[in-house]
Amino acid sequence: AVVSTQSTGTLTILMLTVTFFVCNTTFFTASFVLIFGMRSWEREFDNKIITLMYVSSTILPFINALINPLIFLYRGAALRQYLFCKMVSLRSLVFVNNL
């Protein structure tokens, strides 16, 4: 049971690390190109490339923040059970008050 818990924790940390690395590496690369690349490069950028770089530099940190709780919910049975119980109690509270 201890080995299973350790491997579950290791896999969860690996998933969080990969998500962080992918989102933030892309974010910093796009930001760097937007800030410094357009000044130093003499060729003009296509509007689609500029839009893609802007969107990735703006949205990816938020996507990382959105994915992290989903990973915790996917990997943690106790957290899923707690959340399910809270949702059921909230649902019963809403339905009781509406009657």
Side-chain angles (χ1 to χ4, degrees):
V2 174
V3 174
S4 176
T5 304
Q6 288 177 346
S7 64
T8 301
T10 302
L11 186 57
T12 303
I13 290 172
L14 179 67
M15 291 171 74
L16 292 170
T17 303
V18 167
T19 303
F20 177 83
F21 179 77
V22 168
C23 288
N24 287 308
T25 300
T26 309
F27 163 71
F28 285 119
T29 302
S31 298
F32 181 78
V33 169
L34 277 174
I35 293 169
F36 298 110
M38 293 180 70
R39 292 183 191 154
S40 62
W41 295 343
E42 294 179 5
R43 67 176 250 227
E44 291 186 20
F45 285 99
D46 186 17
N47 281 339
K48 291 179 182 178
I49 295 173
I50 292 173
T51 304
L52 178 66
M53 287 189 299
Y54 176 75
V55 167
S56 65
S57 68
T58 306
I59 300 296
L60 283 174
F62 296 111
I63 290 176
N64 183 35
L66 174 73
I67 291 174
N68 284 342
L70 296 177
I71 290 173
F72 282 120
L73 285 173
Y74 175 72
R75 301 293 301 160
L79 186 59
R80 270 195 315 269
Q81 184 178 7
Y82 173 77
L83 185 64
F84 179 75
C85 289
K86 287 296 182 182
M87 289 174 67
V88 167
S89 66
L90 181 64
R91 181 177 175 206
S92 65
L93 181 67
V94 168
F95 284 130
V96 168
N97 287 337
N98 285 335
L99 295 175

